[in-house]
Amino acid sequence: DVKVTQSSRYLVKRTGEKVFLECVQDMDHENMFWYRQDPGLGLRLIYFSYDVKMKEKGDIPEGYSVSREKKERFSLILESASTNQTSMYLCASSQGQGVSYEQYFGPGTRLTVT
Amino acid sequence: GQNIDQPTEMTATEGAIVQINCTYQTSGFNGLFWYQQHAGEAPTFLSYNVLDGLEEKGRFSSFLSRSKGYSYLLLKELQMKDSASYLCAVLLSGGYNKLIFGAGTRLAVHP
């Protein structure tokens, strides 16, 4: 059974703190993605990675960075958390670069920045 | 730019049929996905269309018209457990499986 796990379901941080969100997949997938989900806006892509140490900006990368040192792990970093980064963060992975490969999602991390 | 539109909310009765529409305007198109997301849970894959026409999978069917930039998800014999958000997503060209999502349609099924 395919599995994407995220380090925390709920997280509360203070403004200015550095925040790490971890994602691990056990399917040997090449591609990994970080999204944020906000009411009325849907899922928006922050960053994605198609190989170890490779990363590409998504649609809203400002204020975020990522790290992929191992194939199974993709980390999202908020260098200095701000209240407008309060959101649900979803990690996903998919196999290869074929057009028909679905993305598998983790359960999400609800981050609150106070 | 990229634009995907779907209704914000829909309601339906248990046992009925509901159609959730999705229109899109994107720079590049390599197929369209539908995902289901129950409150507080991860989105899960429902269907993928890349060619025009209807794909049927049990109680759920998905239709695509590429010339019209239009898709719909059809849910038959609705059950209470179908109450969820339904996300339409376009797969862009260029590899890497990059998806653009609509805002989602929240479906409430009533007895």
Side-chain angles (χ1 to χ4, degrees):
Chain A
D1 197 19
V2 297
K3 203 162 188 182
V4 179
T5 57
Q6 296 183 227
S7 49
S8 306
R9 289 301 304 270
Y10 300 93
L11 209 53
V12 180
K13 296 292 182 180
R14 293 189 182 274
T15 300
E17 278 193 86
K18 191 168 186 175
V19 182
F20 292 87
L21 302 182
E22 303 284 338
C23 174
V24 177
Q25 50 96 2
D26 65 359
M27 296 163 282
D28 201 36
H29 283 170
E30 284 81 2
N31 305 319
M32 296 188 75
F33 308 83
W34 273 108
Y35 296 90
R36 61 178 285 175
Q37 186 174 29
D38 300 288
L41 296 177
L43 274 77
R44 292 180 292 166
L45 183 64
I46 304 170
Y47 266 97
F48 66 100
S49 168
Y50 53 90
D51 201 352
V52 175
K53 297 191 185 294
M54 305 304 289
K55 60 185 179 184
E56 292 282 341
K57 291 180 180 179
D59 301 313
I60 51 165
E62 296 78 19
Y64 303 94
S65 62
V66 290
S67 172
R68 193 166 181 202
E69 296 297 318
K70 293 185 178 181
K71 189 176 185 180
E72 67 272 17
R73 189 179 298 269
F74 192 35
S75 302
L76 180 69
I77 304 153
L78 287 66
E79 295 290 341
S80 177
S82 63
T83 54
N84 63 12
Q85 292 179 310
T86 291
S87 186
M88 171 68 85
Y89 289 88
L90 288 163
C91 173
S93 71
S94 72
Q95 177 184 355
Q97 296 180 17
V99 297
S100 63
Y101 294 131
E102 69 192 82
Q103 291 185 16
Y104 294 86
F105 285 85
T109 297
R110 185 166 293 283
L111 173 67
T112 302
V113 183
T114 62
Chain B
Q2 324 283 16
N3 194 49
I4 300 177
D5 287 318
Q6 48 182 134
T8 304
E9 291 185 356
M10 299 182 71
T11 59
T13 305
E14 197 174 14
I17 300 173
V18 71
Q19 178 175 310
I20 303 173
N21 295 324
C22 172
T23 58
Y24 62 90
Q25 290 177 302
T26 56
S27 53
F29 178 86
N30 264 337
L32 189 143
F33 285 86
W34 284 95
Y35 282 83
Q36 180 189 58
Q37 186 180 25
H38 286 100
E41 297 184 11
T44 54
F45 169 79
L46 286 178
S47 68
Y48 169 72
N49 294 67
V50 66
L51 299 176
D52 289 352
L54 188 68
E55 295 273 348
E56 296 187 77
K57 193 186 292 186
R59 294 189 298 114
F60 292 7
S61 303
S62 56
F63 172 83
L64 176 67
S65 169
R66 290 172 297 171
S67 62
K68 296 182 179 177
Y70 169 69
S71 173
Y72 67 74
L73 181 69
L74 192 71
L75 292 74
K76 303 175 188 174
E77 300 169 14
L78 281 171
Q79 301 176 8
M80 299 296 289
K81 67 179 182 180
D82 297 329
S83 293
S85 288
Y86 292 86
L87 314 180
C88 171
V90 169
L91 182 64
L92 300 181
S93 311
Y96 307 137
N97 277 184
K98 186 177 175 184
L99 290 175
I100 296 292
F101 282 83
T105 298
R106 190 162 56 247
L107 174 67
V109 179
H110 298 291

